[in-house]
Amino acid sequence: MTQPTSKFCFVIHPLSLDDVVRYEPGAAGKGAPIIRKILEWMPPWAAVHVTGVVTPDGRETEGWFIGAPLLPEQMLEFSRDAVYDRIVRAIEIGAELGAQIAGLGAFTGVVGDAGVTIAERSPIPVTTGNALTIAAGIQSLFRGAREMGIDASEATAVVAGATGSIGSACVKLIAPRVKHVVLVARNNTRLAKFHESIAGELPCGSSYTTDISAAVRRAQLVLTATSSTQDVIQPEDLQTGAVVCELSLPHDVSRRVALERPDVLVTEGGNMLVPGPNPRFERVREPGTEFDLNLPPRTALACMSETMVLALENRLECYTLGRGIDIAKVVEIEALATRAGFTPAGMRAFDTAITAEKIAATRAAARARGAGVSA
Ligand SMILES: NC(=O)c1ccc[n+]([C@@H]2O[C@H](COP(=O)([O-])OP(=O)(O)OC[C@H]3O[C@@H](n4cnc5c(N)ncnc54)[C@H](OP(=O)(O)O)[C@@H]3O)[C@@H](O)[C@H]2O)c1
């Protein structure tokens, strides 16, 4: 007989006005100030019922995505306590529905101390989901390098957002596989201190800068995980044939890259395929209607997947919180996710799947521009 598993909830929020319209088409045509005002006053609600998450060994979980409807910039502008209250209320709604562990989506895990205070105020354990996001991002970056024929051991890599929860762990995991790693963030004092604390233990060359354009111009590999609400990776800075793995939500990579740089491979690194014959993300208020995550079917963000894995494993603990993530947890959650049947999703960027043909075309464009990419 299979072991009973736990239930989960995951706090979501719109990353842009487009997301608001995708969820609520009636918002189309309303001005941005009105939408912002409505979001400001809207209480959290149970938006999505997730069912059919079934592991290869027959374990099953269900859960809810709870909307805490603030835009990223509102989460940064409003008083920290007002934002925490909104997120904790969302978790309480999940707990009332039966959830025993909560995950924090996008900026709900970024705001303030990255989940620590929220966990103290929450009725159930909380995780940011960042450990599995880190694991997925690293896999994706080096998969991109292989696809583009880049010898990672000779490459310079940039980590944008290097002092963050995700970025700081990525620096440590990328360093053993590259020649040089450049750490980028805005706060120079924090960046210098972090670099000083780890430089001695990194098995490759390392440097840091607050000048993201200068850093990107040096790199063949870029992993971006900033909490910026604006684009920070611009087409004119990218090297011919470079690979960019983007974990940030909202996106760090300018959409101009898709139009202007056919020779660069951009991949959203934090997506996973959910196990089970028919996993469903159903809108609570319109039963039978699928919630549009703006991802292909059966695909979830890695942070959502971490929350589901912990529920399936009955690991009802605050697994990933704060900004100093233990690499052992990244390794453990990746193994637990694999055992539970979660697999990296197909490569994707700018709302489009990256096919084998697209990769071949990107390599050809890089060769045409003179990159040392093999045929
Ligand atoms: N795909 C997924 O499944 C998934 C899961 C979780 C999180 N995320 C996303 O991943 C991103 C990072 O999350 P986190 O928890 O690691 O955030 P975090 O701990 O707050 O770290 C953010 C990092 O970005 C830097 N930063 C902010 N603005 C910047 C800018 N304009 N230029 C350069 N660096 C900048 C910050 O340092 P300074 O302040 O010094 O600049 C810090 O190093 C967020 O966008 C989040 O929504 C994605």
Side-chain angles (χ1 to χ4, degrees), residues 8-9 46 64 66 89-100 124:
F8 68 91
C9 66
W64 295 267
I66 314 291
R89 180 63 200 129
I91 296 172
E92 285 169 354
I93 291 171
E96 285 156 16
L97 287 165
Q100 295 145 289
I124 53 177

Side-chain angles (χ1 to χ4, degrees), residues 220-244:
Q220 296 79 53
L221 302 176
V222 178
L223 182 137
T224 183
T226 84
S227 54
S228 175
T229 54
Q230 312 289 327
D231 302 340
V232 294
I233 307 289
Q234 304 301 340
E236 45 278 9
D237 294 329
L238 289 159
Q239 280 197 10
T240 300
V243 170
V244 183

Side-chain angles (χ1 to χ4, degrees), residues 10 13 15 104-112 114 128-130 132-133 160-168 184-188 190-191 210 212 224-232 246-252 269-271 300-304 322-323:
F10 187 83
H13 72 101
L15 298 173
L104 299 176
F107 266 50
T108 69
V110 167
V111 69
T128 58
N130 285 354
L132 193 53
T133 302
T163 52
S165 170
I166 294 174
S168 57
V184 179
R186 289 166 310 174
N187 183 315
N188 193 55
R190 213 165 29 226
L191 187 57
T210 56
I212 194 163
T224 183
T226 84
S227 54
S228 175
T229 54
Q230 312 289 327
D231 302 340
V232 294
E246 164 156 83
L247 294 175
S248 32
L249 294 168
H251 296 305
D252 279 346
N271 302 332
L301 297 172
C303 48
M304 290 169 173
R323 295 206 158 82

